[in-house]
Amino acid sequence: MNLLDTIVLLLYFGVLMIIGIIGIKMAKSEKDFLLAGSRLGYFSHVGCLAAVIIGGAATMGSTTLGYEFGISGFWFVSMMGFGIAALGIFVVNKIGGYEVFTISQLLGKRFGEGTQLISAVVTAIYTLMIVVTQVIGMGNVIHVLLGWPVIPSMVIGGGIVLFYTILGGMWSITLTDMIQFAVMTIGIFFIMFPYSIDSVGGLTALFQSVPESHHHITNIGWDRIFQYFLLYFFGLIVSQDIWQRVFTARSQKVMKASAVSAGIYSILYGLALSIVGMCALVLLPNLGDSQSAFTSLALEILPPGLLGLVLASICSALMSNASGAIFASATLITNDIIKVYGKKVRNDQEIIKTSRIVTLGLGVLSIIFSIWIQNILVALDMAYAILSGAIFAPLVIGLYWKRVTSQAAFYSIIASSLVIFTTFIIYGITSTLPIIYGLLTGILVIVGVTILTPVKSLDTTTSTRKSG
């Protein structure tokens, strides 16, 4: 990378840190700090949702899959898009009547404090692993682009995200996500995609140059498509970082419309990057590591200046995903564990201070884990397996079936979590079986315990839902 591109990238990092400082003045109350005051309109909300959905794993992973499997690589991010759209269509209207900041808080109101605690622990583990994937990605990108060693690159990338997240909370994240969404959109759809197509002579020439199998939408295999469905469709519906962004909207109407729009955007994003991956296969057929397809192609075809902007778009995807996930994890621990079981924080300023301390601790922990794991796909699969397998059944069944008892939800999360971790050990962390067994266990336990529990008056926890 030349000096101009390096300057563009470093200026971008500087802007994000300045925005973090601006966010301090806007985060005056607990709701401001955790949910940006729930004041976002449609356009800003779409950008924030899309930014938190699409991370570095989605960006570079889709390009890698396009390189290896062709157009069918779009299934990876598309399942995330279908998941967020389903959240907007089927779930938003069910959660809109609850005054909550987190999934665990909702489960606590529905099923009691025990379920709130265990779900907070499980979901916090998931969100922390999401942060780890993004820190690993940031470290690798900075390493490739600037030539710095991988471990210091992880520390620097993670440190920038931690800086602006701690300062302004959700307001800082929201402001940076608006910029990151714009940079992502311009970098991928208006620079990288057209330059890639032009470099191979157009779409017709591209499809004539790649293997016939790369034309087929199922080339990646039905087993892989089903795995993505289990991991990402279910995972996005019950993901705390997504929910926390959903609650920043000013109304249910905005929540629904922006969730569906962000889903459509994600599908188009995955499709565009799969085609970029195919272009990389044509231009760089002997690439040693397909995971470097995006960065290698960018370095090959983009002129100075534009290269820096496109690579900033990768950092945008990584940072927006990381900031949302680390803040979600901190919110879970602060709101659903410390406030309920530990020191009783008495006012908004104490809540904000506690949340900042927790965010700092989790940020340091995530950087340590990133240095230890150093494999973005392993960390991502583990994160979504834990979430989809353990939380989906009690949350969705509990929302639609009022007969479900507190004990059923509690034991469902415990049992499915144990099954997931056990089957990880037996079958390995890349297997789909832990998710399937976790989901089945959760469904069987929640249905079985509910049916076997004597019918009583409606659970008192449901009375906490707002009337009307």
Side-chain angles (χ1 to χ4, degrees), residues 165-185:
T165 303
I166 288 174
L167 291 182
M170 186 56 78
W171 265 122
S172 288
I173 295 171
T174 297
L175 294 172
T176 53
D177 277 358
M178 291 178 186
I179 294 175
Q180 288 164 340
F181 175 71
V183 173
M184 285 165 51
T185 302

Side-chain angles (χ1 to χ4, degrees), residues 322-448:
S323 60
I326 195 169
F327 195 61
S329 189
T331 302
L332 285 161
I333 293 172
T334 303
N335 195 69
D336 298 324
I337 299 177
I338 295 176
K339 283 178 63 176
V340 176
Y341 294 94
K343 175 186 175 183
K344 299 293 183 180
V345 286
R346 293 181 295 274
N347 56 53
D348 286 357
Q349 292 308 310
E350 287 187 358
I351 292 170
I352 292 172
K353 180 180 178 181
T354 302
S355 184
R356 282 175 172 152
I357 293 170
V358 172
T359 303
L360 176 61
L362 289 173
V364 172
L365 193 62
S366 67
I367 292 172
I368 293 171
F369 280 177
S370 302
I371 294 170
W372 174 43
I373 296 174
Q374 295 195 28
N375 189 312
I376 194 169
L377 294 178
V378 168
L380 189 69
D381 287 349
M382 289 181 68
Y384 276 99
I386 293 167
L387 185 70
S388 300
I391 301 297
F392 182 83
L395 178 67
V396 175
I397 294 175
L399 286 174
Y400 280 91
W401 188 21
K402 297 306 178 185
R403 170 82 167 78
V404 174
T405 66
S406 300
Q407 293 87 348
F410 179 79
Y411 290 124
S412 171
I413 296 173
I414 291 288
S416 55
S417 297
L418 290 174
V419 167
I420 289 167
F421 284 112
T422 302
T423 48
F424 266 144
I425 295 172
I426 296 172
Y427 298 107
I429 56 180
T430 59
S431 174
T432 306
L433 292 176
I435 315 161
I436 297 174
Y437 290 152
L439 275 170
L440 290 176
T441 301
I443 293 170
L444 289 173
V445 171
I446 200 168
V447 173

Side-chain angles (χ1 to χ4, degrees), residues 41-215:
Y42 170 76
F43 291 106
S44 56
H45 199 237
V46 170
C48 290
L49 277 180
V52 75
I53 294 166
I54 299 170
T59 302
M60 293 187 288
S62 293
T63 310
T64 298
L65 293 173
Y67 189 95
E68 295 176 352
F69 301 103
I71 201 72
S72 64
F74 93 106
W75 283 110
F76 177 35
V77 177
S78 292
M79 284 302 177
M80 298 181 184
F82 292 136
I84 189 66
L87 173 63
I89 295 170
F90 300 111
V91 180
V92 161
N93 63 323
K94 292 290 183 180
I95 63 178
Y98 292 91
E99 290 289 342
V100 295
F101 296 139
T102 68
I103 291 175
S104 304
Q105 194 176 11
L106 188 150
L107 288 169
K109 288 193 172 190
R110 178 70 175 86
F111 300 118
E113 288 186 356
T115 304
Q116 181 174 353
L117 173 63
I118 189 63
S119 62
V121 171
V122 171
T123 312
I125 293 172
Y126 148 75
T127 49
L128 184 63
M129 292 303 295
I130 291 295
V131 181
V132 170
T133 67
Q134 306 311 307
V135 173
I136 293 170
M138 280 186 281
N140 287 326
V141 168
I142 294 172
H143 165 67
V144 171
L145 302 184
L146 302 181
W148 300 345
V150 173
I151 292 177
S153 298
M154 289 182 186
V155 174
I156 292 168
I160 293 171
V161 171
L162 197 55
F163 176 81
Y164 69 73
T165 303
I166 288 174
L167 291 182
M170 186 56 78
W171 265 122
S172 288
I173 295 171
T174 297
L175 294 172
T176 53
D177 277 358
M178 291 178 186
I179 294 175
Q180 288 164 340
F181 175 71
V183 173
M184 285 165 51
T185 302
I186 294 170
I188 299 303
F189 288 104
F190 294 98
I191 298 177
M192 190 64 184
F193 181 75
Y195 264 87
S196 298
I197 296 298
D198 183 68
S199 66
V200 296
L203 278 174
T204 301
L206 171 65
F207 280 89
Q208 290 174 347
S209 302
V210 297
E212 175 69 23
S213 59
H214 277 48
H215 301 179

